[in-house]
Protein backbone atom coordinates (compact mmCIF):
# COMPACT_ATOMS: atom_id res chain seq x y z
CA UNK A 1 0.00 0.00 0.00
CA UNK A 2 2.86 2.37 0.84
CA UNK A 3 5.39 1.05 -1.66
CA UNK A 4 6.22 4.54 -2.99
CA UNK A 5 7.21 5.51 0.56
CA UNK A 6 9.06 2.31 1.31
CA UNK A 7 6.56 1.15 3.95
CA UNK A 8 4.09 -1.74 3.69
CA UNK A 9 0.86 -2.22 5.64
CA UNK A 10 2.42 -4.90 7.89
CA UNK A 11 5.33 -2.56 8.67
CA UNK A 12 2.90 0.16 9.70
CA UNK A 13 0.99 -2.23 12.00
CA UNK A 14 4.19 -3.17 13.82
CA UNK A 15 5.19 0.50 14.03
CA UNK A 16 1.84 1.41 15.61
CA UNK A 17 2.14 -1.42 18.12
CA UNK A 18 5.55 -0.17 19.19
CA UNK A 19 4.20 3.37 19.56
CA UNK A 20 1.25 2.28 21.69
CA UNK A 21 3.17 -0.17 23.88
CA UNK A 22 6.94 0.47 23.81
CA UNK A 23 7.77 -2.39 26.17
CA UNK A 24 6.37 -5.22 24.06
CA UNK A 25 8.77 -7.76 22.59
CA UNK A 26 8.65 -9.57 19.27
CA UNK A 27 6.55 -12.47 20.54
CA UNK A 28 4.00 -10.17 22.18
CA UNK A 29 3.64 -8.07 19.03
CA UNK A 30 3.23 -11.24 16.96
CA UNK A 31 0.39 -12.44 19.21
CA UNK A 32 -1.40 -9.10 19.10
CA UNK A 33 -1.14 -8.92 15.30
CA UNK A 34 -1.96 -12.62 14.82
CA UNK A 35 1.22 -13.23 12.85
CA UNK A 36 4.48 -15.10 13.32
CA UNK A 37 7.57 -13.72 15.11
CA UNK A 38 9.67 -14.01 11.94
CA UNK A 39 7.24 -11.71 10.12
CA UNK A 40 7.52 -9.18 12.94
CA UNK A 41 11.32 -9.37 12.82
CA UNK A 42 11.21 -8.74 9.07
CA UNK A 43 9.05 -5.66 9.67
CA UNK A 44 11.41 -4.46 12.37
CA UNK A 45 14.33 -4.78 9.97
CA UNK A 46 12.46 -2.60 7.47
CA UNK A 47 11.49 -0.05 10.11
CA UNK A 48 15.09 0.11 11.31
CA UNK A 49 16.31 0.62 7.73
CA UNK A 50 13.83 3.50 7.36
CA UNK A 51 14.94 4.90 10.74
CA UNK A 52 11.43 4.65 12.17
CA UNK A 53 12.77 2.62 15.11
CA UNK A 54 16.04 2.99 16.99
CA UNK A 55 18.04 0.81 19.34
CA UNK A 56 17.89 1.78 23.00
CA UNK A 57 21.08 3.21 24.50
CA UNK A 58 20.04 2.02 27.95
CA UNK A 59 19.05 -1.50 26.93
CA UNK A 60 21.06 -2.70 23.91
CA UNK A 61 19.07 -5.17 21.86
CA UNK A 62 15.78 -3.40 22.64
CA UNK A 63 14.20 -1.00 20.17
CA UNK A 64 11.78 1.89 20.45
CA UNK A 65 9.64 3.69 17.87
CA UNK A 66 10.70 7.14 16.71
CA UNK A 67 8.07 9.82 17.26
CA UNK A 68 5.80 9.96 14.16
CA UNK A 69 6.49 13.62 13.31
CA UNK A 70 10.25 12.92 13.17
CA UNK A 71 9.62 9.64 11.37
CA UNK A 72 7.58 11.44 8.71
CA UNK A 73 10.41 13.92 8.15
CA UNK A 74 12.92 11.10 7.76
CA UNK A 75 10.72 9.28 5.27
CA UNK A 76 10.21 12.49 3.31
CA UNK A 77 13.96 13.13 3.23
CA UNK A 78 14.61 9.60 1.99
CA UNK A 79 11.89 9.87 -0.66
CA UNK A 80 13.25 13.23 -1.81
CA UNK A 81 16.78 11.83 -2.19
CA UNK A 82 15.46 8.89 -4.22
CA UNK A 83 13.38 11.25 -6.37
CA UNK A 84 16.40 13.45 -7.11
CA UNK A 85 18.48 10.41 -8.08
CA UNK A 86 15.70 9.11 -10.34
CA UNK A 87 15.34 12.48 -12.08
CA UNK A 88 19.13 12.67 -12.54
CA UNK A 89 19.15 9.23 -14.17
CA UNK A 90 16.26 10.19 -16.46
CA UNK A 91 18.07 13.36 -17.53
CA UNK A 92 21.32 11.49 -18.21
CA UNK A 93 19.58 8.77 -20.23
CA UNK A 94 17.72 11.31 -22.31
CA UNK A 95 20.87 13.33 -22.93
CA UNK A 96 22.70 10.23 -24.18
CA UNK A 97 19.78 9.35 -26.43
CA UNK A 98 19.71 12.83 -28.01
CA UNK A 99 23.49 12.88 -28.50
CA UNK A 100 23.23 9.56 -30.29
CA UNK A 101 20.51 10.88 -32.59
CA UNK A 102 22.45 14.07 -33.30
CA UNK A 103 25.48 12.07 -34.35
CA UNK A 104 23.77 9.34 -36.38
CA UNK A 105 20.39 10.71 -37.44
CA UNK A 106 19.62 10.85 -41.19
CA UNK A 107 19.21 14.12 -43.07
CA UNK A 108 15.77 14.88 -44.53
CA UNK A 109 16.70 13.31 -47.83
CA UNK A 110 17.64 10.06 -46.10
CA UNK A 111 14.18 9.07 -44.96
CA UNK A 112 12.64 11.99 -43.12
CA UNK A 113 12.28 10.46 -39.64
CA UNK A 114 15.00 12.75 -38.24
CA UNK A 115 15.36 16.24 -39.73
CA UNK A 116 18.13 18.69 -38.74
CA UNK A 117 17.11 22.31 -38.26
CA UNK A 118 20.24 24.42 -38.34
CA UNK A 119 20.16 27.63 -36.27
CA UNK A 120 17.55 29.40 -34.15
CA UNK A 121 15.64 30.93 -37.08
CA UNK A 122 14.90 27.50 -38.51
CA UNK A 123 13.84 26.26 -35.07
CA UNK A 124 11.51 29.23 -34.49
CA UNK A 125 9.87 28.75 -37.88
CA UNK A 126 9.22 25.10 -37.12
CA UNK A 127 7.85 25.95 -33.65
CA UNK A 128 5.41 28.40 -35.23
CA UNK A 129 4.32 25.73 -37.70
CA UNK A 130 3.82 23.19 -34.92
CA UNK A 131 1.83 25.68 -32.83
CA UNK A 132 -0.33 26.41 -35.87
CA UNK A 133 -0.89 22.75 -36.76
CA UNK A 134 -1.26 21.22 -33.26
CA UNK A 135 -4.60 19.51 -32.74
CA UNK A 136 -4.52 17.70 -29.39
CA UNK A 137 -1.56 18.53 -27.13
CA UNK A 138 1.86 20.13 -26.75
CA UNK A 139 4.30 18.81 -24.11
CA UNK A 140 7.43 20.77 -23.21
CA UNK A 141 10.57 20.43 -21.08
CA UNK A 142 11.98 23.84 -20.04
CA UNK A 143 15.29 22.81 -18.45
CA UNK A 144 17.32 26.01 -18.73
CA UNK A 145 15.85 27.92 -15.80
CA UNK A 146 14.49 31.47 -16.06
CA UNK A 147 13.66 32.44 -19.64
CA UNK A 148 14.59 35.54 -21.61
CA UNK A 149 11.95 38.12 -22.45
CA UNK A 150 12.14 37.17 -26.16
CA UNK A 151 11.69 33.46 -25.41
CA UNK A 152 8.71 34.14 -23.14
CA UNK A 153 7.07 36.41 -25.74
CA UNK A 154 7.46 33.74 -28.42
CA UNK A 155 6.09 31.08 -26.05
CA UNK A 156 3.05 33.24 -25.19
CA UNK A 157 2.22 33.75 -28.86
CA UNK A 158 2.55 30.06 -29.69
CA UNK A 159 0.58 29.05 -26.59
CA UNK A 160 -2.22 31.49 -27.40
CA UNK A 161 -2.71 30.07 -30.88
CA UNK A 162 -2.83 26.51 -29.59
CA UNK A 163 -5.03 27.18 -26.53
CA UNK A 164 -7.59 29.02 -28.66
CA UNK A 165 -8.10 25.78 -30.60
CA UNK A 166 -8.46 23.70 -27.44
CA UNK A 167 -4.98 22.17 -27.53
CA UNK A 168 -3.79 20.82 -24.17
CA UNK A 169 -0.49 22.37 -23.08
CA UNK A 170 1.70 20.85 -20.36
CA UNK A 171 5.10 22.30 -19.49
CA UNK A 172 7.72 21.29 -16.92
CA UNK A 173 10.35 23.80 -15.78
CA UNK A 174 13.01 23.73 -13.09
CA UNK A 175 12.11 24.57 -9.49
CA UNK A 176 14.24 27.69 -9.68
CA UNK A 177 11.92 29.36 -12.21
CA UNK A 178 9.59 29.95 -9.27
CA UNK A 179 12.11 32.56 -8.10
CA UNK A 180 12.13 34.46 -11.41
CA UNK A 181 9.26 36.96 -11.61
CA UNK A 182 8.92 36.99 -15.42
CA UNK A 183 9.03 33.20 -15.88
CA UNK A 184 6.76 32.64 -12.87
CA UNK A 185 4.24 35.11 -14.31
CA UNK A 186 4.35 33.29 -17.66
CA UNK A 187 3.69 29.98 -15.88
CA UNK A 188 0.79 31.40 -13.86
CA UNK A 189 -0.81 32.92 -16.95
CA UNK A 190 -0.48 29.59 -18.74
CA UNK A 191 -2.28 27.88 -15.84
CA UNK A 192 -4.97 30.58 -15.76
CA UNK A 193 -5.67 30.11 -19.48
CA UNK A 194 -6.14 26.35 -19.16
CA UNK A 195 -2.59 25.03 -19.58
CA UNK A 196 -0.59 23.24 -16.89
CA UNK A 197 2.85 24.12 -15.60
CA UNK A 198 4.86 22.01 -13.16
CA UNK A 199 8.43 22.11 -11.88
CA UNK A 200 11.14 19.57 -11.05
CA UNK A 201 14.57 19.69 -9.43
CA UNK A 202 16.27 18.46 -12.62
CA UNK A 203 15.16 17.83 -16.18
CA UNK A 204 16.34 16.22 -19.41
CA UNK A 205 17.39 18.58 -22.23
CA UNK A 206 14.78 20.86 -23.83
CA UNK A 207 12.08 19.00 -25.75
CA UNK A 208 8.74 19.83 -27.38
CA UNK A 209 6.27 17.09 -28.31
CA UNK A 210 3.23 17.84 -30.46
CA UNK A 211 0.24 15.51 -30.81
CA UNK A 212 2.47 12.57 -29.88
CA UNK A 213 3.59 12.58 -33.50
CA UNK A 214 6.46 15.09 -33.72
CA UNK A 215 9.27 15.95 -31.31
CA UNK A 216 11.83 18.76 -31.32
CA UNK A 217 15.05 18.19 -29.37
CA UNK A 218 18.31 20.18 -29.43
CA UNK A 219 21.20 19.10 -31.61
CA UNK A 220 23.49 20.09 -28.74
CA UNK A 221 21.93 20.28 -25.27
CA UNK A 222 24.81 22.49 -24.11
CA UNK A 223 24.16 25.04 -26.88
CA UNK A 224 20.56 25.08 -28.07
CA UNK A 225 21.32 27.90 -30.53
CA UNK A 226 22.97 25.37 -32.85
CA UNK A 227 19.55 24.08 -33.83
CA UNK A 228 17.28 21.11 -33.27
CA UNK A 229 16.34 17.67 -34.48
CA UNK A 230 12.76 17.24 -35.66
CA UNK A 231 11.71 13.64 -35.03
CA UNK A 232 8.68 11.99 -36.59
CA UNK A 233 9.49 8.30 -36.28
CA UNK A 234 6.63 6.76 -34.21
CA UNK A 235 8.95 4.58 -32.14
CA UNK A 236 11.27 7.44 -31.20
CA UNK A 237 8.40 9.78 -30.39
CA UNK A 238 6.67 7.13 -28.25
CA UNK A 239 9.84 6.79 -26.16
CA UNK A 240 9.99 10.55 -25.62
CA UNK A 241 6.30 10.69 -24.68
CA UNK A 242 6.90 7.98 -22.08
CA UNK A 243 9.84 9.98 -20.74
CA UNK A 244 7.69 13.10 -20.46
CA UNK A 245 4.86 11.27 -18.68
CA UNK A 246 7.27 9.73 -16.19
CA UNK A 247 8.85 13.11 -15.46
CA UNK A 248 5.41 14.73 -15.21
CA UNK A 249 4.33 12.21 -12.58
CA UNK A 250 7.39 13.16 -10.47
CA UNK A 251 7.00 16.92 -10.86
CA UNK A 252 5.27 19.47 -8.61
CA UNK A 253 2.24 21.54 -9.70
CA UNK A 254 3.05 25.23 -9.71
CA UNK A 255 0.39 26.19 -7.16
CA UNK A 256 0.22 22.93 -5.21
CA UNK A 257 1.34 24.28 -1.85
CA UNK A 258 -0.51 27.58 -2.23
CA UNK A 259 -3.79 25.79 -3.00
CA UNK A 260 -3.43 23.51 0.01
CA UNK A 261 -2.61 26.38 2.35
CA UNK A 262 -5.25 28.72 0.97
CA UNK A 263 -7.83 27.22 3.36
CA UNK A 264 -6.17 26.59 6.73
CA UNK A 265 -7.15 23.54 8.75
CA UNK A 266 -9.84 23.96 11.36
CA UNK A 267 -8.57 23.35 14.88
CA UNK A 268 -10.40 19.98 15.25
CA UNK A 269 -8.81 18.80 11.98
CA UNK A 270 -5.35 19.84 13.13
CA UNK A 271 -5.91 18.09 16.47
CA UNK A 272 -7.10 14.94 14.67
CA UNK A 273 -3.95 14.87 12.53
CA UNK A 274 -1.84 15.30 15.63
CA UNK A 275 -3.55 12.39 17.40
CA UNK A 276 -3.17 10.18 14.30
CA UNK A 277 0.53 11.08 14.12
CA UNK A 278 0.86 9.92 17.73
CA UNK A 279 -0.50 6.50 16.74
CA UNK A 280 -4.12 6.84 17.88
CA UNK A 281 -6.84 4.78 16.23
CA UNK A 282 -10.03 6.39 14.89
CA UNK A 283 -11.83 5.44 18.09
CA UNK A 284 -9.20 6.76 20.51
CA UNK A 285 -8.73 9.98 18.50
CA UNK A 286 -12.50 10.49 18.50
CA UNK A 287 -12.53 10.08 22.27
CA UNK A 288 -9.82 12.71 22.65
CA UNK A 289 -11.80 15.11 20.44
CA UNK A 290 -15.14 14.27 22.15
CA UNK A 291 -16.76 13.33 18.84
CA UNK A 292 -18.09 10.06 17.46
CA UNK A 293 -15.74 7.69 15.58
CA UNK A 294 -17.92 8.26 12.52
CA UNK A 295 -17.31 12.02 12.71
CA UNK A 296 -13.57 11.46 13.15
CA UNK A 297 -13.49 9.19 10.09
CA UNK A 298 -15.41 11.76 8.05
CA UNK A 299 -12.98 14.50 9.09
CA UNK A 300 -10.01 12.31 8.20
CA UNK A 301 -11.52 11.45 4.80
CA UNK A 302 -11.93 15.16 4.08
CA UNK A 303 -8.29 15.86 5.00
CA UNK A 304 -7.06 12.96 2.85
CA UNK A 305 -9.08 14.18 -0.14
CA UNK A 306 -7.65 17.67 0.26
CA UNK A 307 -4.09 16.36 0.45
CA UNK A 308 -4.57 13.89 -2.41
CA UNK A 309 -3.50 11.10 -0.04
CA UNK A 310 -4.46 7.46 -0.52
CA UNK A 311 -4.03 6.51 3.14
CA UNK A 312 -3.84 7.97 6.62
CA UNK A 313 -0.10 7.39 6.71
CA UNK A 314 0.46 9.24 3.43
CA UNK A 315 -1.79 12.04 4.72
CA UNK A 316 0.46 12.28 7.77
CA UNK A 317 3.55 12.55 5.58
CA UNK A 318 2.08 15.30 3.44
CA UNK A 319 0.72 17.16 6.47
CA UNK A 320 4.17 17.07 8.08
CA UNK A 321 5.72 18.37 4.84
CA UNK A 322 3.30 21.33 4.89
CA UNK A 323 3.93 22.03 8.55
CA UNK A 324 0.39 21.12 9.60
CA UNK A 325 1.65 18.85 12.39
Amino acid sequence: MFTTLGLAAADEEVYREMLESPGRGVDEIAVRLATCPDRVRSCLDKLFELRLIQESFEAPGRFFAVEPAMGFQQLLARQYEELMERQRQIAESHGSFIRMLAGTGPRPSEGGSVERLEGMDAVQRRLQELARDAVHEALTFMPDGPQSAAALDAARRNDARALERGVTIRTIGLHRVREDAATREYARRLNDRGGEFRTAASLPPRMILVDRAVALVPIDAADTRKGALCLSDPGLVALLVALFEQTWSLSTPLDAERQLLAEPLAEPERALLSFMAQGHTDESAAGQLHVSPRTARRMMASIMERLGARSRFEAGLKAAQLGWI
Side-chain angles (χ1 to χ4, degrees), residues 165-186:
R165 299 195 311 277
V167 175
T168 297
I169 295 179
R170 288 188 286 159
T171 300
I172 311 175
L174 292 174
H175 284 329
R176 67 173 184 267
V177 303
R178 296 169 181 263
E179 301 170 5
D180 178 70
T183 309
R184 186 174 65 247
E185 178 59 22
Y186 160 77

Side-chain angles (χ1 to χ4, degrees), residues 86-311:
R86 188 175 176 189
Q87 288 185 338
R88 185 190 64 77
Q89 291 173 355
I90 289 173
E92 286 185 355
S93 296
H94 180 66
S96 298
F97 177 61
I98 297 306
R99 286 192 294 274
M100 179 187 69
L101 285 177
T104 62
R107 301 301 190 268
S109 60
E110 296 173 346
S113 64
V114 180
E115 177 186 359
R116 292 179 70 93
L117 302 172
E118 303 286 351
M120 290 303 297
D121 288 342
V123 174
Q124 284 300 323
R125 284 195 296 270
R126 183 54 55 86
L127 286 174
Q128 292 170 4
E129 292 171 1
L130 291 173
R132 179 196 65 200
D133 298 337
V135 176
H136 302 295
E137 68 177 4
L139 313 176
T140 303
F141 283 144
M142 185 188 288
D144 37 4
Q147 303 292 292
S148 68
L152 292 175
D153 286 341
R156 288 190 192 96
R157 290 194 297 272
N158 292 335
D159 291 347
R161 296 189 188 102
L163 289 168
E164 286 172 1
R165 299 195 311 277
V167 175
T168 297
I169 295 179
R170 288 188 286 159
T171 300
I172 311 175
L174 292 174
H175 284 329
R176 67 173 184 267
V177 303
R178 296 169 181 263
E179 301 170 5
D180 178 70
T183 309
R184 186 174 65 247
E185 178 59 22
Y186 160 77
R188 293 202 187 286
R189 288 189 62 184
L190 177 61
N191 281 357
D192 291 343
R193 298 187 65 180
E196 292 184 81
F197 193 101
R198 293 186 176 187
T199 63
S202 61
L203 284 173
R206 177 174 284 277
M207 178 180 76
I208 298 174
L209 286 156
V210 177
D211 291 338
R212 307 198 172 209
V214 179
L216 249 64
V217 296
I219 291 175
D220 183 351
D223 184 2
T224 57
R225 300 189 65 82
K226 289 182 179 179
L229 302 176
C230 185
L231 313 177
S232 57
D233 179 81
L236 294 177
V237 174
L239 286 173
L240 295 176
V241 169
L243 170 69
F244 181 90
E245 295 295 354
Q246 183 180 29
T247 308
W248 182 263
S249 70
L250 297 172
S251 58
T252 304
L254 186 68
D255 293 329
E257 184 171 336
R258 188 178 71 173
Q259 290 169 356
L260 284 170
L261 296 176
E263 300 178 10
L265 286 180
E267 189 55 39
E269 292 176 316
R270 190 178 296 275
L272 176 61
L273 271 177
S274 178
F275 289 133
M276 290 296 184
Q278 294 169 25
H280 284 267
T281 63
D282 289 343
E283 290 72 18
S284 61
Q288 295 286 338
L289 291 170
H290 306 291
V291 298
S292 69
R294 182 177 180 180
T295 298
R297 284 191 288 270
R298 186 168 61 248
M299 290 168 58
M300 195 64 205
S302 175
I303 295 171
M304 289 171 60
E305 180 179 2
R306 199 171 147 197
L307 289 168
R310 294 171 294 177
S311 68

Side-chain angles (χ1 to χ4, degrees), residues 3-83:
T3 54
T4 58
L5 302 174
L7 195 67
D11 302 327
E12 184 189 3
E13 289 180 347
V14 172
Y15 178 61
R16 286 183 178 276
E17 281 295 319
M18 295 188 69
L19 280 172
E20 293 175 2
S21 302
R24 287 189 181 133
V26 170
D27 292 336
E28 294 173 290
I29 294 174
V31 170
R32 284 187 56 83
L33 297 180
T35 187
C36 64
D38 286 343
R39 181 69 180 276
V40 174
R41 292 188 184 94
S42 177
C43 292
L44 291 175
D45 288 342
K46 186 65 174 180
L47 292 170
F48 185 78
E49 177 189 345
L50 294 174
R51 300 177 185 173
L52 290 175
I53 62 172
Q54 294 181 356
E55 188 172 10
S56 170
F57 289 104
E58 298 178 354
R62 302 285 292 182
F63 293 85
F64 63 90
V66 173
E67 284 299 314
M70 183 178 294
F72 290 154
Q73 291 175 356
Q74 291 172 346
L75 277 179
L76 284 170
R78 178 191 178 99
Q79 187 183 33
Y80 181 79
E81 290 172 1
E82 292 175 350
L83 175 60

